[in-house]
Amino acid sequence: YDDGLIVGNEGTFTNGNASVTYYQPSNGLVANNIFESSNDLPLGDVLQSVYQDDNDLYLVVNNSARIAVVNPATMRLQRDFQNLGSPRYVVRKDNRLFVSQLFDPHIWVVDAQSGAVLDKWETPGWTERMAIADSILWVEDRVNGALLGFDLSGDSLRHDVALGGGVSDLHLAAGHLYVF
């Protein structure tokens, strides 16, 4: 599955029918339910987000309190982190995952290999999307419409930037952070 598009399908809330689809644009090939068929188990309830780093693909399954870590080429489950509250988005820096939570005023810091919760950083409110630029973890503060910046070298809040209308998305491209 490493030469096409991976599509995360949220599923219907409380039905446990989240799924992942593979699409190959060059020949129109579509393969549905690739996580379930590759692992012989369902993904869970509400696939909130998908994140890929250099080695792994993270499937963040909100209502199942789960982050499934898979090999992006095979979709085979490598690690399965459970009981993670209500995870929404994840980013990775070195051996730490930073996980935003639904309605929880904390960023959860999770060990990227074991899934153990290492710390919980307090935030002014519920957080969502995140991106890392220049050793700063930028986080969307949904409650206050702000952009929070955590210094990863000192694990502390360094920036709290109020943005009129709030943040709807974050993207890191060509060394620049774009805030929408």
Side-chain angles (χ1 to χ4, degrees), residues 81 84 109-119:
F81 306 149
L84 289 178
V109 182
V110 175
D111 183 276
Q113 294 304 311
S114 70
V117 177
L118 303 172
D119 202 355

Side-chain angles (χ1 to χ4, degrees), residues 88-126:
R88 303 284 287 174
Y89 294 89
V90 63
V91 294
R92 181 177 180 165
K93 175 74 171 169
D94 300 325
N95 199 38
R96 297 189 298 177
L97 299 177
F98 301 95
V99 183
S100 64
Q101 299 281 337
L102 181 64
F103 305 129
D104 184 347
H106 296 90
I107 296 294
W108 290 26
V109 182
V110 175
D111 183 276
Q113 294 304 311
S114 70
V117 177
L118 303 172
D119 202 355
K120 293 182 182 179
W121 296 348
E122 191 170 338
T123 61
W126 161 33

Side-chain angles (χ1 to χ4, degrees), residues 40-160:
D40 199 29
L41 62 107
L43 183 54
D45 193 31
V46 186
L47 178 55
Q48 174 63 37
S49 63
V50 178
Y51 171 77
Q52 186 170 354
D53 66 14
D54 291 337
N55 302 308
D56 298 315
L57 186 71
Y58 300 82
L59 305 172
V60 182
V61 191
N62 178 267
N63 204 42
S64 292
R66 172 187 198 189
I67 298 174
V69 185
V70 301
N71 177 313
T74 65
M75 204 54 58
R76 295 287 302 158
L77 189 62
Q78 296 187 37
R79 297 182 303 286
D80 200 9
F81 306 149
Q82 309 241 354
N83 301 314
L84 289 178
S86 192
R88 303 284 287 174
Y89 294 89
V90 63
V91 294
R92 181 177 180 165
K93 175 74 171 169
D94 300 325
N95 199 38
R96 297 189 298 177
L97 299 177
F98 301 95
V99 183
S100 64
Q101 299 281 337
L102 181 64
F103 305 129
D104 184 347
H106 296 90
I107 296 294
W108 290 26
V109 182
V110 175
D111 183 276
Q113 294 304 311
S114 70
V117 177
L118 303 172
D119 202 355
K120 293 182 182 179
W121 296 348
E122 191 170 338
T123 61
W126 161 33
T127 58
E128 285 278 319
R129 294 163 187 84
M130 299 175 287
I132 297 174
D134 298 326
S135 295
I136 302 290
L137 172 68
W138 294 101
V139 180
E140 170 193 3
D141 177 350
R142 293 288 296 172
V143 174
N144 300 303
L147 186 63
L148 307 174
F150 288 88
D151 179 352
L152 295 180
S153 62
D155 293 350
S156 60
L157 182 62
R158 190 163 122 189
H159 306 282
D160 187 342

Side-chain angles (χ1 to χ4, degrees), residues 158-177:
R158 190 163 122 189
H159 306 282
D160 187 342
V161 182
L163 298 172
V167 178
S168 64
D169 211 346
L170 300 173
H171 286 282
L172 188 61
H176 298 291
L177 178 66

